[in-house]
């Protein structure tokens, strides 16, 4: 794994955990909220093990549950966020802009991403065709994972935004006190996302 792919770490795990994430993302994509037991069945993972995996993901904000059913996992959620990912004709949401780019890139999807610049809040819309998107001026920020705690949504996703331009990314970064992390042009972000969500294909 290259240094640039280090942001993959929150999604790296044991094979059973990766299988649960894959099944969970597919369920959210199709609008289903499965219980941990049902996810275990879908992923061919022992039900008790599936429950323990979901508990572990919840402990580091790498899944969300409502009413005992998983409504967010591997970055995809049915809960409203500021990032909308339209796939299969349905609006879903993602925890960060990196998810919104990486998921369609890795799964080879037709998709429309609607998010907002992390600096000026201008709308940023991207269209994916079979996982590919046209070059754009957008840049993305990936916070340094080793400086984050273990709360994925609050501490990583909250600033893993897209920006109109490198200039707007740099202005945000300076205003935010120059936090550690990596700036990537959209094309690089797509490549990193393909690696991070490869297990969800
Ligand atoms: Zn902007």
């Amino acid at each position: 794994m290259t240094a640039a792919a280090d942001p993959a770490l929150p999604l790296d795990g044991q094979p059973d955990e990766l299988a649960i994430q894959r099944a969970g993302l597919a369920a959210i994509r199709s609008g289903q909220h499965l219980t941990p037991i049902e996810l275990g069945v879908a992923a061919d993972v022992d039900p008790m093990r599936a429950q323990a995996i979901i508990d572990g993901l919840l402990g580091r904000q790498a899944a969300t549950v409502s009413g005992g059913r998983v409504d967010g996992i591997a970055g995809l959620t049915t809960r409203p966020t500021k990032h909308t990912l339209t796939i299969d004709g349905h609006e879903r949401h993602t925890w960060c802009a990196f998810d919104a780019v990486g998921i369609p890139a890795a799964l080879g999807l037709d998709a429309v991403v609607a998010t907002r610049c992390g600096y000026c809040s201008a709308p940023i819309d991207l269209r994916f065709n079979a996982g590919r998107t046209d070059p754009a001026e957008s840049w993305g920020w990936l916070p340094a994972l080793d400086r984050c705690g273990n709360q994925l949504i609050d501490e990583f996703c909250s600033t893993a935004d897209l920006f109109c331009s490198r200039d707007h990314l740099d202005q945000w970064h300076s205003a935010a006190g120059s936090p550690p992390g990596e700036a990537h042009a959209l094309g690089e972000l797509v490549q990193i996302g393909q690696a991070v969500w490869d297990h969800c294909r």
Side-chain angles (χ1 to χ4, degrees), residues 7 27-29 54 67 71 80 89-90 93 101 114 118 122 129 131 133-134 140 142 154 168 180 195:
I28 300 293
R29 179 181 169 188
I54 293 296
D71 63 0
H90 299 293
H93 300 278
V101 167
N129 292 300
T133 189
D134 293 331
L142 297 180
D154 287 346
H168 274 194

Side-chain angles (χ1 to χ4, degrees), residues 9-137:
L9 290 175
L11 293 180
D12 278 354
Q14 300 300 313
D16 284 354
E17 180 181 312
L18 298 179
I20 290 285
Q21 290 188 356
R22 181 178 190 276
L25 189 147
I28 300 293
R29 179 181 169 188
S30 67
Q32 293 179 285
H33 294 160
L34 301 184
T35 65
I37 304 289
E38 290 168 340
L39 271 181
V41 172
D44 197 20
V45 171
D46 173 77
M48 296 300 288
R49 171 92 176 115
Q51 181 69 58
I53 288 167
I54 293 296
D55 289 345
L57 292 173
L58 287 171
R60 54 185 218 262
Q61 282 188 349
T64 60
V65 168
S66 296
R69 294 178 173 274
V70 176
D71 63 0
I73 192 168
L76 191 68
T77 180
T78 54
R79 295 188 190 185
T81 71
K82 67 175 180 175
H83 317 285
T84 299
L85 178 62
T86 302
I87 42 178
D88 313 314
H90 299 293
E91 284 193 358
R92 306 287 182 244
H93 300 278
T94 61
W95 295 332
C96 64
F98 178 49
D99 301 322
V101 167
I103 290 169
L107 275 60
L109 302 178
D110 293 342
V112 176
V113 173
T115 183
R116 289 183 175 275
C117 173
Y119 179 66
C120 74
S121 297
I124 298 176
D125 298 311
L126 303 173
R127 182 172 295 275
F128 283 81
N129 292 300
R132 294 167 179 265
T133 189
D134 293 331
E137 297 299 306

